[in-house]
Structures are given as structure tokens and as C-alpha cells.
Amino acid sequence: MAATALTLLLLALLPERHVLATAAGDAHPGYAGAEADTCGSPPSGGGAAGRRHGPALEEYGGGRIVDITHAYRPSMPAFAPGATVGPLVRLKASMEDGSEYNLSELRMECHMGTHVDAPGHMNQAHFAAGLDVDTLDLDVLNGPALLVDVPRHTNITAESMESLNIPKGVRRVLFRTLNTDRGLMWKAAGDLSYVGFTEDGAKWLVDNTDIKLVGIDYISVASFDNLISAHVAFFKNADIILVEALKLDNVNTGLYMLHCLPLRLVGSEGSPIRCILIK
Ligand SMILES: *[C@@H]1O[C@H](CO)[C@@H](O)[C@H](O)[C@H]1NC(C)=O
Ligand SMILES: *[C@@H]1O[C@H](CO)[C@@H](O)[C@H](O)[C@H]1NC(C)=O
């Protein structure tokens, strides 16, 4: 009965595609509970009460702000076939065990979930030069950005890049791919058949566009077969920032103000990053 009431409420509150998205989320039992907790809250609901771990849009301010960061949760895909991340936040001291306080510790690779790659990730010269995440240019990470849909039948090759006709002058592009359609970030297991840039696609972007921020919807911008070569192509000049595993489900394509803020992890070539779009 509660489920029926919830469905009716959703139908009343949300445009059709949001309902479809929620239905898709229900296909992943791990999140059914989390979704049910919060689906009834107003679309503009923020804070813990508005938390939705599923592909539905996460909006604040009546739709003015869209969260495109994945929640860091234990069942996120890890970079190995079939692997998941495991517990990330765990109580180090717990009141249940007699402590006077609850105190959690965070344990994760710096390239888990929504994260940024610094130029030193796959370029030893940049790493040696100290180009860690703490040196990333906040001007590149914050500003107008274009969200585009990449042709679904291919990885992001030079041909695919060319077909997108991204105008000169565009500095930040978020590439939505087949990965979002396949719900790969919602599957609790790494899937290395994800879509990403091929080496020639990365080279084409570097040589023919003004793009300095590249965002993508799975854990690497580079397709698995081009994992190293495409990163190396992007990092040639150390002026391109790669943001990976963005949550682009159900966001309309178009132009937004993008805000991305990495943690200031000194010496690290990667960092979790919070990214939002503002309309
Ligand atoms: C502290 O953690 C315990 C689990 O050990 C939980 O039951 C309790 O609600 C937490 N208390 C606070 C104040 O967060
Ligand atoms: C993209 O490349 C990966 C290998 O890197 C492959 O498994 C996948 O099928 C390709 N996807 C498409 C749509 O061509």
C-alpha cells in the first residue's frame, strides 16, 4: 500500500522521465530502500532528508542546483572486473561500544567514485614537478560547461569527437555516454567494457579544441583498451583536468555553470571531488 501511495505521489510530482528513472533505480535492490526513504520528499529537498542514492535527479533550490557527484558508498564499482569498493567510512569509535562519541574514519583510493586526476597520474615528469591535486587550477574547475551526449555505438574516438561539433572556445565539457544508459555506476561491480576515450579521441580533443576540463560518466575517461595511452595524450601539456565518474543520469544536455572542488591532498595525483551544476 505504501508503495502504491509513493508511486501516485511520484506521478503527481515528477515529469515522466523522472518516474522512469526511479523505476530503473528500483531494478537495483541495493538502493530500493534508500530511494523509498526520500522519494516522497519535495524535489527541492536538501540535506540528509533529501538524500537519494539512485539515478533520479538530485536538485536543490527548486532545480537551480543539480548534484552530479555520486555518493561514496560501499557498493560502488572498483577498477577491476567484478570488484566493489568495500566499506569507505567506518566507525573507529562507537557509542554502542561504550565510547563517549562516534568517530568515523575514511579509507579509500583517491580514484574512487567521483574524482579528479592530476597531471601526475600518468606522467612522471608532471608528478616529479609536483603537479598534484593541490595545484589544480580552480578556474578550470569552475565555469561554464557543456553537457553533451556522445554517440552510443562507439568509444570516444577522433571520429566521434569530430561528429560532436563542439564549438571553439568551449573550455569544459561533460561527456555522457552509453555508461549512463547502462547504469554502470549503479552496478556493484567494475565493468571494464565501459565507454571512454581512445588514444586518437584524446589526441583529437587536445589538438582541435579549447577543452581544458573533460568530464565523464564512469571511473575512467580512457576506455580500458586505451587506459594508459589516452591518459598520456590528455596529460601531454598538464593543462587538462580530468573528472571521472560523474553522475549525469537524467540531466538535460546543454550549458551550465559547473563547480568542482577537489580536496587539497598534498602529494596525491587524485582526489574525490564534489561537482555541481548551476542553471
Ligand atoms: C553512534 O553510532 C552507533 C553505532 O555504533 C549508533 O547506533 C548511534 O546512533 C550513533 N550515535 C550518534 C550520536 O550518532
Ligand atoms: C569500448 O571499448 C571497450 C574496450 O576498451 C569495449 O569493451 C567496448 O565494447 C567498447 N564500446 C563500444 C560502444 O564500442
Side-chain angles (χ1 to χ4, degrees):
M1 207 170 82
T4 310
L6 182 67
T7 307
L8 289 175
L9 184 64
L10 278 168
L11 285 168
L13 281 178
L14 301 173
E16 187 183 7
R17 58 193 197 85
H18 293 181
V19 176
L20 289 174
T22 304
D26 287 344
H28 309 296
Y31 304 109
E35 289 231 275
D37 277 350
T38 52
C39 276
S41 56
S44 60
R51 202 161 46 200
R52 287 164 293 187
H53 297 169
L57 266 186
E58 293 185 271
E59 296 178 326
Y60 294 81
R64 191 175 68 86
I65 300 173
V66 179
D67 199 345
I68 54 166
T69 310
H70 278 282
Y72 298 90
R73 47 197 163 72
S75 55
M76 276 199 302
F79 212 98
T84 46
V85 175
L88 302 173
V89 175
R90 69 173 194 100
L91 276 173
K92 202 172 147 187
S94 152
M95 296 173 82
E96 249 169 31
D97 295 338
S99 169
E100 284 185 289
Y101 45 80
N102 284 340
L103 180 69
S104 295
E105 76 175 350
L106 172 65
R107 213 174 110 187
M108 64 191 283
E109 278 180 16
C110 295
H111 297 260
M112 282 301 171
T114 307
H115 71 276
V116 66
D117 285 357
H121 186 34
M122 292 194 193
N123 181 309
Q124 181 52 30
H126 296 333
F127 191 80
L131 298 180
D132 63 9
V133 286
D134 192 31
T135 66
L136 291 175
D137 188 350
L138 290 184
D139 185 54
V140 175
L141 287 161
N142 295 272
L146 202 56
L147 169 60
V148 299
D149 268 319
V150 172
R152 299 306 203 236
H153 65 283
T154 169
N155 275 284
I156 312 178
T157 58
E159 196 185 343
S160 172
M161 270 305 298
E162 201 169 355
S163 77
L164 287 171
N165 284 313
I166 295 166
K168 278 273 183 186
V170 173
R171 295 181 69 209
R172 303 167 194 85
V173 179
L174 310 180
F175 295 89
R176 181 167 53 201
T177 72
L178 185 62
N179 302 331
T180 295
D181 299 358
R182 292 177 68 200
L184 288 188
M185 282 302 293
W186 303 107
K187 292 186 176 150
D191 184 333
L192 302 183
S193 70
Y194 64 88
V195 161
F197 278 83
T198 57
E199 182 183 358
D200 74 321
K203 280 190 172 146
W204 197 93
L205 182 147
V206 171
D207 294 340
N208 298 286
T209 75
D210 295 321
I211 301 169
K212 298 299 171 212
L213 181 139
V214 177
I216 199 150
D217 53 1
Y218 200 56
I219 48 184
S220 175
V221 292
S223 74
F224 188 66
D225 285 350
N226 291 249
L227 188 59
I228 306 301
S229 60
H231 275 92
V232 168
F234 279 130
F235 289 142
K236 194 174 121 195
N237 305 317
D239 61 349
I240 288 184
I241 300 182
L242 307 176
V243 180
E244 298 167 328
L246 288 165
K247 179 176 184 263
L248 302 178
D249 310 64
N250 299 301
V251 187
N252 290 329
T253 54
L255 192 63
Y256 295 88
M257 278 301 285
L258 171 74
H259 290 287
C260 281
L261 296 173
L263 301 180
R264 301 191 61 175
L265 303 178
V266 175
S268 178
E269 76 303 314
S271 166
I273 190 166
R274 187 69 181 259
C275 289
I276 58 170
L277 298 177
I278 301 190
K279 285 177 194 163

